[in-house]
Amino acid sequence: MHVPRVVIAASLAAVCTLTACSRKAASSASVPTPAHRYTIATVGKVEGIAWFEDMKKGVQKFAADTGQEAFMQSPAQADGAQQVQIIENLIAQKVDAICVVPFSVEAVEPVLKKARDQGILVIAHEASSAQNADLIIEPFDNAAYGRHLMERLAQEMGGEGDYATFVGSLNSKSHTEWVDAGVAYQREKYPKMHDVADKIEDYEDQNKAYQKMKELLIAHPTLKGVQTSAMGTAAGAGLAVEERGLQKQVAIVGTSLASVSGQYIKSGSVRMISFWDPALAGYAMNKIAVMMLEGQKITAGTNLGLPGYESLVQSKDKPNLFFGSAWIDITKDNLDQYMQ
Amino acid sequence: MTSRVRRLFGRHEMVLLGVTVLLSIVIGALNPAFYSLQNAFDLLKTSVPLGILTIGLLVVLISGGIDISFPAIAVAGMYITCTLAIDVRSLDHLPALLAISTAIGLALGLFNAVLIHFFRLPALIVTLGTASVIRGALLEFVGTRTITNLPPSIIAFSRTNLFEATLANGASAALTVSILFFAGVAIAVALALRYTVIGRGAYAVGADLAAAERVGFNVRRIHLFVYGLMGALAGLVGIIHASIIRNANPLDLDGLELTVIAAAVIGGASITGGRGTVTGALLGVALMVIMDGSLVLVGLPSQWHQVFIGLVVLVSTSITALRTRSARAGEIAR
């Protein structure tokens, strides 16, 4: 079934190219003119979902602020092959830099190598294991973030009982890192908690998450908590818990957005969601790209002038891997300020 | 001839029923919670969208066609209808929304039929193309954001149950009302396939197009009927899907066509046309839903889920194919 995806990717790429062109024409009126105008493409995991729409806003703001030719395009479906196709097209267009949020790091390695071989700067995000990137910027250290989520889940569960974990896909490096760090933290600090189902895959599909959560509630009637990873999972799992009337018994903590999971935070099935602002992440990637294209060095302590990215932390094992400290927690108490 | 063929299907369905029962016994042995009321209700709810689409595709397959655009059509019906209902509050009544989405689906299905019948284009290529166009156009002209504040009538629909019970641990089990749509569609299509000229015609066209034309079946009407029905049912499923997951995501249902085709083929529908029954399709749906919906229940590690699903699909389709082949060999020998 690769044919339809290729067809969709090709038609989408065509549409994106067209809209990118028209945007170029439209936005040349009142923006500052930089010394050198670079073309920087940002590639998300999938088109249309709230997360990457917000990231697109960050990229557009960067373009408006700096006058650089910065745009974003993502695959029509969350699919590694389509993402590779888009990057191939960008290489052919000879952009100056590609900022990428890989669907699967392994899947994009060859095409990122190809880009770098042709002199294109590659900045990666949510891809701490990437080999073929000039620089990897993460909003935070994944292990620290996973422990942070687990600490909250443990508090909600009173430090004991059965819990389960979800990932969007086992290929998703960051999701597995959050979960693994969280589980390791639980084993060390909360021995009375038990991981009854590890890394259930929902394929980043809210409906799948909803169905698997219902199954989980039947398989483990004593379940007290869930740590989720993909954007829609907290909402899908939250719906399942709400339908069962188990908001008081089962706590959901995970990564999501207020616009996606807000109603389930209100109803109490989702206790806390955390996220990093995709708009800021998009802005940060583009900012780093321009700094590097201009020959500046990114080092420990570099200040990007963005909230959570004021003092970058350099990884000990990997000199081109940098972290911000940019996670944001949302609970019932502060939900209102994040709901539009 | 017909009675012989019918007997053969009777046997195929028995085999399928046997496989499904066996699978259920194995799952139930691994986790007795499989037999709980709650699980039964959950599996029934999951089967509604898949089941309605499989019945629609069954009719297309019987007529010798194929359609892979129905997930795109379902999403288009769902997303356009929800967008509309949010802007025009007076439309917010469930029958109206179901009618609009079904009508959108019908129109898109008839468009497929026109391309396939009048331009004599291969159905696979046509529906591949329309699926791409529909999905692309939806993102470009209607919207890209997931609608989480659905029209209240759809939320009310999602909360309407035929039966509700509170279990020992305080959890509730409920049987969704949308199961009635599934039952209605299954019965109506089964009757149409058996007793109407257009239903018999679908079998005739699928078995031998030229012969069907010569004996006087109206092929144009049959093509419009099968693809129109598929589209209309997809539109209906769009609203049901939105009500189940309580949002309308324009990128949703991607890849669903594979599950639906698998369910129909496992159910004994011939991919080359002329054969298939509603009973078989229902059993195919049951097998897919039970299999996909029990992996967490039996505690199978995530990395084995895909392997397991692939194996069951391979085994079931192999049984179907082998039985068909030996039956054909029998016919030729005679």
Side-chain angles (χ1 to χ4, degrees), chain B residues 63-125:
Chain B
S63 79
I66 181 79
D67 187 340
I68 54 171
S69 65
F70 58 84
I73 294 179
V75 165
M78 167 186 81
Y79 197 69
I80 295 170
T81 307
C82 290
T83 309
L84 205 63
I86 283 167
D87 291 345
V88 189
R89 278 291 172 193
S90 57
L91 279 177
D92 188 17
H93 303 284
L94 189 69
L97 299 184
L98 287 171
I100 293 170
S101 188
T102 307
I104 292 169
L106 177 65
L108 292 170
L110 290 176
F111 181 64
N112 276 336
V114 167
L115 290 178
I116 291 162
H117 183 81
F118 293 100
F119 297 96
R120 311 245 163 215
L121 298 172
L124 182 68
I125 307 299

Side-chain angles (χ1 to χ4, degrees), chain A residues 150 153-154 157 159-163 186 190-195:
Chain A
M150 183 55 73
L153 183 64
M157 292 170 60
E160 56 178 33
D162 294 342
Y163 74 96
Q186 168 268 315
Y190 298 100
K192 283 186 182 161
M193 285 169 64
H194 301 286
D195 177 14

Side-chain angles (χ1 to χ4, degrees), chain A residues 1 3-5 7-8 15 19 46-50 53-54 57 76-77 170 198-201 203 205-208 210-212 214-216 218-219 221 239 242-244 246 249 259 263-264, chain B residues 31 33 36 38-39 42 45-46 68 128 132 135 139-140 144-146 148 158-159 169-172 241 244-247 249 251-252 254-255 257-258 292-297 302-303 305-306:
Chain A
M1 282 319 292
V3 188
R5 304 204 157 170
V7 172
I8 294 166
V15 169
T19 46
V46 58
E47 190 72 32
I49 67 169
E53 288 297 301
D54 284 357
K57 282 182 194 152
Q77 280 118 20
L170 289 169
D198 192 37
K199 284 181 278 199
I200 300 168
E201 269 183 303
Y203 312 105
D205 177 346
Q206 195 168 326
N207 196 34
K208 261 277 184 286
Y210 163 68
Q211 284 168 9
K212 299 249 173 188
K214 286 203 293 188
E215 228 186 294
L216 199 56
I218 292 172
L239 173 59
E242 194 185 299
E243 276 187 357
R244 291 278 202 268
L246 292 171
Q249 286 95 314
S259 58
Q263 52 178 317
Y264 303 105
Chain B
N31 189 344
S36 66
Q38 203 168 34
N39 193 48
D42 284 354
K45 188 171 187 178
T46 309
I68 54 171
L128 189 64
S132 290
R135 282 201 184 266
L139 294 178
E140 188 62 27
T144 56
R145 277 200 174 250
T146 299
T148 50
S158 80
R159 295 205 166 119
N169 69 341
S172 59
H241 174 75
I244 289 176
I245 194 63
R246 293 206 200 152
N247 67 33
N249 175 355
L251 296 169
D252 221 340
D254 176 38
E257 65 276 12
L258 292 182
D292 193 31
S294 305
L295 303 170
V296 173
L297 211 58
S302 298
Q303 51 272 40
H305 285 196
Q306 305 257 31

Side-chain angles (χ1 to χ4, degrees), chain A residues 261-328:
Chain A
S261 299
Q263 52 178 317
Y264 303 105
I265 296 179
K266 263 187 210 150
S267 76
S269 54
V270 176
R271 303 294 171 80
M272 181 185 85
I273 55 169
S274 299
F275 68 105
W276 62 104
D277 186 343
L280 281 178
Y283 200 110
M285 281 194 284
N286 279 268
K287 177 123 191 187
I288 289 172
V290 169
M291 286 169 79
M292 290 180 74
L293 286 168
E294 285 174 346
Q296 296 181 50
K297 266 192 91 66
I298 307 291
T299 56
T302 295
N303 183 357
L304 298 180
L306 297 165
Y309 298 91
E310 289 103 341
S311 173
L312 296 184
V313 177
Q314 190 167 22
S315 160
K316 287 186 193 75
D317 332 307
K318 203 169 173 183
N320 67 340
L321 172 59
F322 289 85
F323 304 110
S325 52
W327 70 61
I328 301 166

